[in-house]
Amino acid sequence: MKKTWIAGLMAAVLLLSSGWVLAEDIVETYRPIYFNGVLLENAQALEKLPTSYDDGDYLTWGQFLPYAAIAQKLGYATTYDSATEVVTSVKGNNYYQFDLKNHTTYLLKNSAPIYLYDTYGEWNGTLYLNQYDLWRLLDIEIEWWEPDAVYVYD
């Protein structure tokens, strides 16, 4: 009996640490986003983000915001090419390209290269970036301290 219990416990630990992402884990972390005080429709912030790499799927903890919803509010022309799975966003001398299939980026801010500090990922067809990287790319203020919502200001 004791061996069965220990084997069951070990199997549970392996499953939990294998990187499986449960939909309910993501849904529980949704927060509405307000841009300059106005609710962004169909946009939520996440505290858990599923990310996939060649060696498996992971659940990344952090504070993630939907890139396109915020970039478009700031006047970025943002497109998604479903054939190549590439998100491209342009405004003035800023050019940002996120290849969701190959996990690569090409980012120019004021015509100079800029790099992400954290991971990015896609959830339900939306590109999410860590709040720090979003702040650096788009020059916005983010207030995450509110327990029920996230506030973004340009």
Side-chain angles (χ1 to χ4, degrees):
M1 181 69 170
K2 186 175 182 181
K3 288 182 182 178
T4 304
W5 183 82
I6 291 173
L9 180 62
M10 289 177 63
V13 167
L14 284 173
L15 283 175
L16 290 173
S17 64
S18 66
W20 287 12
V21 177
L22 303 175
E24 59 266 20
D25 288 339
I26 304 304
V27 172
E28 291 175 2
T29 66
Y30 281 163
R31 289 184 184 199
I33 301 170
Y34 291 86
F35 184 84
N36 290 334
V38 177
L39 179 67
L40 278 178
E41 297 294 327
N42 301 316
Q44 298 88 19
L46 300 177
E47 290 181 356
K48 299 176 188 174
L49 179 68
T51 52
S52 297
Y53 295 98
D54 292 338
D55 60 345
D57 295 330
Y58 299 93
L59 188 61
T60 303
W61 290 82
Q63 297 168 329
F64 298 92
L65 297 166
Y67 173 78
I70 295 171
Q72 289 170 342
K73 282 287 190 185
L74 293 167
Y76 281 80
T78 303
T79 60
Y80 174 70
D81 182 340
S82 58
T84 61
E85 296 183 28
V86 172
V87 175
T88 304
S89 196
V90 179
K91 181 181 176 186
N93 291 329
N94 297 338
Y95 178 88
Y96 305 136
Q97 188 175 67
F98 303 88
D99 185 329
L100 302 177
K101 185 188 294 184
N102 298 310
H103 305 289
T104 59
T105 60
Y106 181 72
L107 309 171
L108 296 175
K109 182 172 182 177
N110 297 321
S111 302
I114 186 171
Y115 301 95
L116 299 179
Y117 280 106
D118 204 346
T119 187
Y120 67 91
E122 176 267 334
W123 175 250
N124 284 347
T126 301
L127 169 64
Y128 282 87
L129 268 65
N130 178 281
Q131 72 168 1
Y132 180 70
D133 286 325
L134 203 60
W135 166 76
R136 288 177 57 244
L137 291 177
L138 302 179
D139 296 318
I140 55 176
E141 292 183 38
I142 302 168
E143 293 181 5
W144 196 280
W145 53 265
E146 173 64 37
D148 299 324
V150 177
Y151 294 88
V152 177
Y153 303 96
D154 64 353

